[in-house]
Amino acid sequence: MNTVQYICTIMNKKEIQEQRVKGYFITATKDLLKSDGLKSVSVRNIADRAGYSFATLYNYFKDVKDLVFLCVKDFREECREYVESRTMAITPGNKRLKAIILAYMEYFIQYPGIFDLFFAEKLSDISGKGDTSALITSLLDELCAADWDYCIDMRMLTSREAGLKKAALLYGSTGLLTLYLNRRHPGSYDAFLKQATHFIDSQLKS
Amino acid sequence: MNTVQYICTIMNKKEIQEQRVKGYFITATKDLLKSDGLKSVSVRNIADRAGYSFATLYNYFKDVKDLVFLCVKDFREECREYVESRTMAITPGNKRLKAIILAYMEYFIQYPGIFDLFFAEKLSDISGKGDTSALITSLLDELCAADWDYCIDMRMLTSREAGLKKAALLYGSTGLLTLYLNRRHPGSYDAFLKQATHFIDSQLKS
DNA sequence: TTATATTTTGAACACTGTTCAATATATTTG
DNA sequence: CAAATATATTGAACAGTGTTCAAAATATAA
């Protein structure tokens, strides 16, 4: 084994170990977020769960927000799978669009801490690497993409109309979830579901 | 002066003084919220600005959330006046509805801390006295009420259609503001205004 | 085994909200 | 007016937050 191979092995080993430890912290953060919500996510809680000292966290992440926002990617994927598994059997078009948006909301109702992370927690600095913001706002569009295309192909909608409806449904679902999770409006889950259904129906109509 | 009158005078004086001090704390909190946002609202910051010790605050409010949510009423009134003064000269109907909703959003863009207080900050307990939540969610409806009624009277809308549009505009504006203030989506204020205009137009149409 | 590099860690600092006993002030009574 | 009482104000203390840094533990190199 020559020197270059040797150095590569070393770097690989370091890289692998670093990713492993990072993973422990990320898993701990995700568990905490799902079970106890964003408010109980603290440096010391995370480190305890990961089996390290709180100071160790700062050798792998620049601050706690950096770590917390790294969870977005995994939750985004989880939400995508949650929605897809529940809607792939439905006939394409308006019917499936409605089911997708309802399942999307259902996911956040189930994990309010993830909603807080996605939509309420302030981003730290401007950087944000792969732009977490775009990752969040593009999720619903991505879930609905095939069905919007289907509607456009079937001449049920123009591309322009679809664009307007896409935006309205993103804003509306974000707002409805914000109001329900933070302001208890509407007052009960039944009332929320009713409002959500009415809203989606009215947006998909015509 | 008899005993009853005397006791009343005492109680009045106490009441007046108590309301005065409460007012100092509320004013300090409002100033802090408007200038530096919700994150800089702390017990010690408020008390410093009010000219008291942080411990004094707890003689007048049960906790800091109680105090912070007392500001909602004043800000609600301020927002109402902000919107009304900018839209009362406009001809009733769709045109004014659009202006009202835009001015409403403009107010929160101007004071992001007030938006956080209204829509992001978690309510403490279930009680909430005069239900702060309803105070918040009813504001836009109240601002638009006269114009919805006008549209219904003019046979431009049914009452049922107006109800759907009302809800969609509340959810949509809340969501759009949430995304713009917390996620920088869209990326610039110009793009935000464009999206807001398109959204409102599409909701008011037909 | 010794020397060097790396990782892990607790102490410390400046914050947060909240409670409580001590102090300062105002009011009532003798 | 002076003494006794009631009320208001306050800082110390506690448990929590995020973050930094130098010391200690561990792993790697010579």
Side-chain angles (χ1 to χ4, degrees):
Chain A
M1 195 199 257
N2 65 32
T3 311
V4 175
Q5 284 177 321
Y6 178 68
I7 290 171
C8 286
T9 309
I10 298 287
M11 293 311 287
N12 234 336
K13 202 156 88 179
K14 277 182 72 75
E15 184 76 12
I16 286 171
Q17 285 175 351
E18 186 175 323
Q19 288 306 319
R20 233 201 288 276
V21 178
K22 274 194 171 190
Y24 298 149
F25 279 105
I26 292 175
T27 300
T29 308
K30 280 162 59 185
D31 288 350
L32 223 39
L33 250 160
K34 288 183 83 163
S35 58
D36 298 334
L38 190 59
K39 71 190 172 304
S40 74
V41 170
S42 74
V43 179
R44 284 162 181 84
N45 280 350
I46 294 168
D48 280 354
R49 206 173 267 243
Y52 286 92
S53 159
F54 61 86
T56 309
L57 193 148
Y58 290 92
N59 296 324
Y60 294 92
F61 309 94
K62 89 168 213 288
D63 57 33
V64 72
K65 286 209 164 186
D66 182 29
L67 166 56
V68 161
F69 277 113
L70 280 176
C71 300
V72 167
K73 224 182 154 187
D74 287 359
F75 286 135
R76 196 193 123 106
E77 185 56 25
E78 189 183 85
C79 179
R80 216 181 51 72
E81 281 165 14
Y82 180 94
V83 173
E84 275 192 358
S85 71
R86 268 160 243 285
T87 56
M88 57 185 175
I90 302 173
T91 54
N94 276 355
K95 195 179 168 192
R96 186 159 65 181
L97 277 171
K98 180 178 173 178
I100 288 171
I101 298 162
L102 279 173
Y104 171 83
M105 292 180 122
E106 210 175 274
Y107 177 81
F108 291 112
I109 294 286
Q110 207 145 3
Y111 304 112
I114 301 181
F115 181 80
D116 290 338
L117 168 61
F118 272 43
F119 298 101
E121 182 75 348
K122 299 268 189 296
L123 290 159
S124 47
D125 57 354
I126 317 103
S127 73
K129 285 197 284 193
D131 208 8
T132 307
S133 199
L135 224 55
I136 291 167
T137 54
S138 67
L139 173 54
L140 188 59
D141 267 12
E142 188 178 310
L143 287 166
C144 295
D147 291 86
W148 288 124
D149 288 344
Y150 174 86
C151 289
I152 294 167
D153 287 347
M154 289 289 158
R155 304 269 188 267
M156 299 161 68
L157 282 175
T158 66
S159 172
R160 185 181 160 71
E161 285 169 338
L164 276 173
K165 285 180 193 295
K166 261 190 243 186
L169 283 160
L170 172 62
Y171 303 153
S173 57
T174 306
L176 186 47
L177 282 168
T178 298
L179 290 170
Y180 179 62
L181 292 174
N182 294 343
R183 292 285 162 271
R184 276 85 204 259
H185 178 275
S188 70
Y189 182 63
D190 276 357
F192 164 80
L193 263 190
K194 205 168 182 174
Q195 282 297 305
T197 305
H198 285 166
F199 172 69
I200 297 169
D201 283 339
S202 74
Q203 296 300 315
L204 293 177
K205 266 264 147 49
S206 94
Chain B
M1 196 197 254
N2 65 32
T3 311
V4 175
Q5 285 177 320
Y6 177 68
I7 290 171
C8 287
T9 308
I10 299 287
M11 292 311 286
N12 233 336
K13 202 158 88 180
K14 277 183 71 74
E15 183 76 12
I16 286 170
Q17 284 175 353
E18 186 175 322
Q19 288 306 318
R20 233 200 288 275
V21 178
K22 274 192 170 188
Y24 298 149
F25 279 106
I26 293 175
T27 301
T29 308
K30 280 163 58 185
D31 288 351
L32 223 40
L33 250 161
K34 288 184 82 163
S35 57
D36 299 333
L38 190 59
K39 70 188 174 304
S40 75
V41 169
S42 75
V43 179
R44 284 162 180 85
N45 281 349
I46 293 168
D48 281 354
R49 205 173 270 241
Y52 286 93
S53 159
F54 60 88
T56 309
L57 193 149
Y58 290 91
N59 295 324
Y60 294 92
F61 309 93
K62 91 168 212 287
D63 56 35
V64 73
K65 285 210 166 185
D66 182 28
L67 166 54
V68 161
F69 277 113
L70 279 176
C71 300
V72 167
K73 224 181 153 187
D74 287 358
F75 286 136
R76 195 193 124 105
E77 186 54 26
E78 189 183 85
C79 178
R80 215 181 52 73
E81 281 167 14
Y82 180 94
V83 172
E84 276 192 357
S85 72
R86 266 154 249 267
T87 56
M88 57 184 173
I90 303 173
T91 55
N94 276 355
K95 194 178 167 192
R96 186 160 64 180
L97 278 170
K98 180 178 174 179
I100 288 171
I101 298 161
L102 280 173
Y104 172 84
M105 293 180 121
E106 210 175 274
Y107 177 81
F108 291 112
I109 294 286
Q110 209 147 0
Y111 304 112
I114 301 180
F115 181 79
D116 289 340
L117 169 61
F118 273 43
F119 298 102
E121 181 75 348
K122 298 269 189 296
L123 289 159
S124 48
D125 56 354
I126 316 104
S127 73
K129 285 196 283 193
D131 208 7
T132 306
S133 199
L135 225 54
I136 291 167
T137 54
S138 68
L139 173 54
L140 188 59
D141 268 12
E142 188 178 312
L143 287 166
C144 296
D147 291 86
W148 289 124
D149 287 345
Y150 174 85
C151 289
I152 294 167
D153 287 348
M154 289 289 160
R155 303 269 189 266
M156 299 162 68
L157 282 174
T158 67
S159 172
R160 184 180 160 73
E161 286 168 338
L164 276 172
K165 286 181 193 294
K166 260 190 243 186
L169 283 160
L170 172 63
Y171 304 153
S173 58
T174 306
L176 187 46
L177 283 168
T178 298
L179 289 169
Y180 179 63
L181 293 175
N182 294 344
R183 293 284 162 270
R184 274 87 203 255
H185 179 274
S188 69
Y189 182 62
D190 276 357
F192 164 79
L193 263 190
K194 205 169 182 174
Q195 283 298 305
T197 305
H198 285 167
F199 171 70
I200 297 169
D201 283 340
S202 74
Q203 295 301 315
L204 292 178
K205 268 263 148 51
S206 92

